[in-house]
Coordinates of all heavy atoms in Angstrom, one line a residue:
S2 N 0.8 -1.2 0.0 CA 0.0 0.0 0.0 C 0.9 1.2 0.0 O 0.5 2.3 -0.6 CB -1.0 0.0 1.2 OG -0.2 0.0 2.4
V3 N 2.0 1.2 0.7 CA 3.0 2.4 0.7 C 3.5 2.5 -0.7 O 3.7 3.7 -1.1 CB 4.1 2.1 1.8 CG1 5.1 3.3 1.7 CG2 3.5 2.0 3.1
I4 N 3.9 1.5 -1.3 CA 4.5 1.5 -2.7 C 3.4 2.1 -3.7 O 3.8 2.9 -4.5 CB 4.9 0.2 -3.2 CG1 6.1 -0.4 -2.3 CG2 5.3 0.2 -4.7 CD1 7.4 0.4 -2.5
S5 N 2.2 1.6 -3.6 CA 1.1 2.1 -4.4 C 0.9 3.6 -4.2 O 0.7 4.3 -5.2 CB -0.2 1.4 -4.1 OG -1.2 1.7 -4.9
R6 N 0.8 4.1 -3.0 CA 0.6 5.5 -2.7 C 1.8 6.4 -3.3 O 1.6 7.4 -3.8 CB 0.5 5.8 -1.2 CG -0.9 5.3 -0.7 CD -1.2 6.0 0.7 NE -0.2 5.6 1.7 CZ -0.2 4.5 2.5 NH1 -1.3 3.7 2.3 NH2 0.7 4.2 3.4
G7 N 3.0 5.8 -3.2 CA 4.1 6.4 -3.7 C 4.1 6.6 -5.2 O 4.4 7.7 -5.7
L8 N 3.7 5.5 -5.9 CA 3.5 5.6 -7.3 C 2.4 6.6 -7.8 O 2.6 7.4 -8.7 CB 3.2 4.2 -7.9 CG 4.3 3.2 -7.7 CD1 3.8 1.8 -8.2 CD2 5.6 3.6 -8.5
Q9 N 1.3 6.6 -7.0 CA 0.2 7.5 -7.2 C 0.7 8.9 -7.1 O 0.3 9.8 -8.0 CB -0.9 7.2 -6.2 CG -2.1 8.1 -6.5 CD -2.9 7.9 -7.7 OE1 -3.1 6.7 -8.1 NE2 -3.2 8.9 -8.4
K10 N 1.4 9.3 -6.1 CA 1.9 10.7 -5.9 C 2.8 11.1 -7.0 O 2.7 12.3 -7.5 CB 2.7 10.8 -4.5 CG 3.0 12.2 -4.1 CD 3.6 12.2 -2.8 CE 4.0 13.6 -2.4 NZ 4.6 13.7 -1.1
I11 N 3.7 10.2 -7.5 CA 4.6 10.5 -8.6 C 3.7 10.8 -9.8 O 3.9 11.8 -10.5 CB 5.6 9.4 -8.9 CG1 6.5 9.2 -7.7 CG2 6.3 9.7 -10.1 CD1 7.4 8.0 -7.9
A12 N 2.7 10.0 -10.1 CA 1.9 10.1 -11.3 C 1.1 11.4 -11.2 O 0.8 12.0 -12.3 CB 1.0 8.9 -11.5
E13 N 0.6 11.8 -10.0 CA -0.2 13.0 -9.9 C 0.6 14.3 -10.2 O 0.0 15.3 -10.7 CB -0.7 13.1 -8.5 CG -1.8 12.1 -8.2 CD -2.2 12.2 -6.7 OE1 -1.6 12.9 -6.0 OE2 -3.2 11.5 -6.4
N14 N 1.9 14.2 -10.0 CA 2.7 15.5 -10.2 C 3.6 15.5 -11.5 O 4.0 16.5 -12.0 CB 3.6 15.6 -9.0 CG 2.8 16.0 -7.8 OD1 2.4 17.1 -7.6 ND2 2.6 15.0 -6.9
Y15 N 4.0 14.3 -12.0 CA 4.9 14.2 -13.1 C 4.4 13.2 -14.2 O 3.9 12.1 -13.8 CB 6.3 13.8 -12.6 CG 6.7 14.6 -11.4 CD1 6.8 13.9 -10.2 CD2 6.9 16.0 -11.4 CE1 7.1 14.6 -9.0 CE2 7.3 16.6 -10.3 CZ 7.4 16.0 -9.1 OH 7.7 16.6 -8.0
P16 N 4.5 13.5 -15.4 CA 4.0 12.6 -16.4 C 5.0 11.5 -16.8 O 5.3 11.3 -18.0 CB 3.8 13.6 -17.7 CG 5.0 14.6 -17.5 CD 5.0 14.7 -16.0
V17 N 5.3 10.7 -15.8 CA 6.2 9.6 -16.0 C 5.5 8.2 -15.8 O 6.1 7.2 -16.1 CB 7.4 9.7 -15.1 CG1 8.3 10.9 -15.4 CG2 7.0 9.8 -13.6
L18 N 4.3 8.3 -15.2 CA 3.6 7.0 -15.0 C 2.2 7.3 -15.4 O 1.6 8.3 -15.3 CB 3.5 6.7 -13.5 CG 4.8 6.1 -12.8 CD1 4.7 6.0 -11.4 CD2 5.2 4.8 -13.4
V19 N 1.6 6.2 -15.9 CA 0.1 6.2 -16.3 C -0.5 4.9 -16.0 O 0.1 3.9 -16.0 CB 0.1 6.5 -17.8 CG1 0.6 5.4 -18.6 CG2 -1.5 6.7 -18.2
K20 N -1.8 4.9 -15.6 CA -2.5 3.7 -15.2 C -3.3 3.3 -16.4 O -4.2 4.0 -16.8 CB -3.4 3.9 -13.9 CG -4.0 2.6 -13.4 CD -4.6 2.8 -12.1 CE -3.6 2.9 -11.0 NZ -4.2 2.9 -9.6
I21 N -3.0 2.1 -16.8 CA -3.7 1.5 -18.0 C -4.3 0.1 -17.4 O -3.6 -0.7 -17.0 CB -2.8 1.2 -19.2 CG1 -2.3 2.6 -19.6 CG2 -3.7 0.5 -20.3 CD1 -1.2 2.4 -20.7
R22 N -5.7 0.0 -17.5 CA -6.4 -1.2 -17.1 C -6.1 -1.5 -15.7 O -5.9 -2.7 -15.4 CB -6.2 -2.3 -18.1 CG -6.7 -2.1 -19.5 CD -6.6 -3.4 -20.4 NE -6.9 -3.2 -21.7 CZ -6.0 -2.8 -22.7 NH1 -4.8 -2.6 -22.3 NH2 -6.5 -2.5 -23.9
G23 N -6.0 -0.5 -14.8 CA -5.7 -0.8 -13.4 C -4.3 -1.0 -13.1 O -4.0 -1.3 -11.9
R24 N -3.3 -0.9 -14.1 CA -1.9 -1.2 -13.9 C -1.1 0.0 -14.2 O -1.3 0.6 -15.2 CB -1.4 -2.5 -14.6 CG -2.1 -3.8 -14.2 CD -1.8 -4.9 -15.2 NE -0.2 -5.0 -15.2 CZ 0.3 -5.9 -14.4 NH1 -0.3 -6.6 -13.4 NH2 1.7 -5.9 -14.4
W25 N -0.1 0.3 -13.3 CA 0.8 1.3 -13.6 C 1.8 0.9 -14.7 O 2.3 -0.2 -14.7 CB 1.6 1.8 -12.3 CG 0.7 2.4 -11.3 CD1 0.5 2.0 -10.0 CD2 0.2 3.7 -11.4 NE1 -0.2 2.9 -9.4 CE2 -0.4 4.0 -10.2 CE3 0.1 4.7 -12.4 CZ2 -1.1 5.2 -10.0 CZ3 -0.5 5.9 -12.1 CH2 -1.2 6.1 -10.9
E26 N 2.1 1.9 -15.6 CA 3.0 1.7 -16.6 C 3.9 3.0 -16.8 O 3.4 4.1 -16.6 CB 2.4 1.3 -18.0 CG 1.7 0.0 -18.0 CD 1.2 -0.4 -19.3 OE1 1.6 0.3 -20.3 OE2 0.4 -1.4 -19.4
L27 N 5.1 2.8 -17.2 CA 6.0 4.0 -17.5 C 5.6 4.6 -18.8 O 5.3 3.9 -19.8 CB 7.5 3.6 -17.6 CG 8.2 3.1 -16.3 CD1 9.5 2.5 -16.7 CD2 8.3 4.2 -15.4
T28 N 5.5 6.0 -18.8 CA 5.4 6.7 -20.0 C 6.7 6.8 -20.7 O 7.7 6.4 -20.2 CB 4.9 8.1 -19.8 OG1 5.8 8.9 -19.1 CG2 3.5 8.1 -18.9
P29 N 6.7 7.3 -22.0 CA 7.9 7.4 -22.7 C 8.9 8.3 -21.9 O 10.1 8.0 -21.8 CB 7.5 8.1 -24.0 CG 6.2 7.5 -24.2 CD 5.5 7.4 -22.9
L30 N 8.4 9.4 -21.3 CA 9.2 10.2 -20.5 C 9.7 9.5 -19.3 O 10.8 9.7 -18.8 CB 8.5 11.5 -20.0 CG 9.3 12.4 -19.1 CD1 10.5 12.9 -19.9 CD2 8.3 13.6 -18.6
G31 N 8.9 8.5 -18.7 CA 9.3 7.8 -17.5 C 10.5 6.8 -17.9 O 11.5 6.7 -17.1
F32 N 10.4 6.3 -19.1 CA 11.6 5.5 -19.5 C 12.9 6.3 -19.7 O 13.9 6.0 -19.4 CB 11.3 4.8 -20.9 CG 10.4 3.5 -20.8 CD1 9.1 3.6 -21.2 CD2 11.0 2.4 -20.2 CE1 8.2 2.5 -21.1 CE2 10.2 1.3 -20.1 CZ 8.8 1.3 -20.5
Q33 N 12.7 7.6 -20.2 CA 13.8 8.5 -20.4 C 14.4 8.8 -19.1 O 15.7 9.0 -18.9 CB 13.4 9.7 -21.2 CG 13.1 9.4 -22.7 CD 12.7 10.7 -23.4 OE1 11.7 11.3 -23.1 NE2 13.5 11.1 -24.4
V34 N 13.6 9.1 -18.1 CA 14.0 9.6 -16.8 C 14.8 8.4 -16.1 O 15.8 8.6 -15.6 CB 12.9 9.9 -15.9 CG1 13.3 10.1 -14.4 CG2 12.2 11.3 -16.4
N35 N 14.3 7.2 -16.3 CA 15.0 6.0 -15.7 C 16.3 5.8 -16.4 O 17.3 5.5 -15.8 CB 14.2 4.8 -15.8 CG 13.2 4.6 -14.7 OD1 13.2 5.3 -13.6 ND2 12.3 3.6 -14.7
A36 N 16.4 6.0 -17.7 CA 17.6 5.9 -18.4 C 18.6 6.9 -17.9 O 19.8 6.6 -17.7 CB 17.4 6.0 -19.9
S37 N 18.1 8.1 -17.8 CA 19.1 9.2 -17.4 C 19.5 8.9 -16.0 O 20.7 9.2 -15.6 CB 18.2 10.6 -17.4 OG 19.1 11.7 -17.0
T38 N 18.6 8.5 -15.1 CA 19.0 8.1 -13.7 C 20.1 7.0 -13.6 O 21.1 7.1 -12.9 CB 17.8 7.5 -12.9 OG1 16.7 8.5 -12.9 CG2 18.1 7.2 -11.5
K39 N 20.0 6.1 -14.5 CA 21.0 5.0 -14.6 C 22.3 5.6 -15.0 O 23.4 5.1 -14.5 CB 20.5 3.8 -15.6 CG 19.4 3.0 -15.0 CD 19.0 1.9 -16.1 CE 17.8 1.1 -15.6 NZ 17.4 0.1 -16.6
E40 N 22.2 6.5 -16.0 CA 23.5 7.1 -16.5 C 24.1 7.8 -15.4 O 25.4 7.9 -15.2 CB 23.2 8.0 -17.7 CG 22.8 7.2 -18.9 CD 22.5 8.2 -20.1 OE1 22.7 9.4 -19.8 OE2 22.1 7.8 -21.1
A41 N 23.3 8.6 -14.5 CA 23.8 9.4 -13.5 C 24.5 8.4 -12.4 O 25.5 8.8 -11.9 CB 22.6 10.2 -12.9
I42 N 23.8 7.3 -12.1 CA 24.4 6.4 -11.1 C 25.7 5.9 -11.5 O 26.7 5.8 -10.9 CB 23.4 5.2 -10.9 CG1 22.2 5.8 -10.2 CG2 24.1 4.1 -10.0 CD1 21.1 4.6 -10.1
T43 N 25.8 5.5 -12.9 CA 27.1 5.0 -13.4 C 28.2 6.1 -13.3 O 29.3 5.8 -13.0 CB 26.8 4.6 -14.9 OG1 25.9 3.6 -14.9 CG2 28.1 4.1 -15.5
S44 N 27.8 7.3 -13.8 CA 28.8 8.5 -13.7 C 29.3 8.6 -12.3 O 30.4 8.9 -12.0 CB 28.3 9.7 -14.3 OG 27.9 9.5 -15.6

């Protein structure tokens, strides 16, 4: 439930998650953000 609320809060403020048929999915921007995050971690 904590994880679900966390995802909901992210989706409400930033266009990186969208709920489709009751399931959260990453948007194209969400994939880009995660890719950028991984690059930052590597650097």
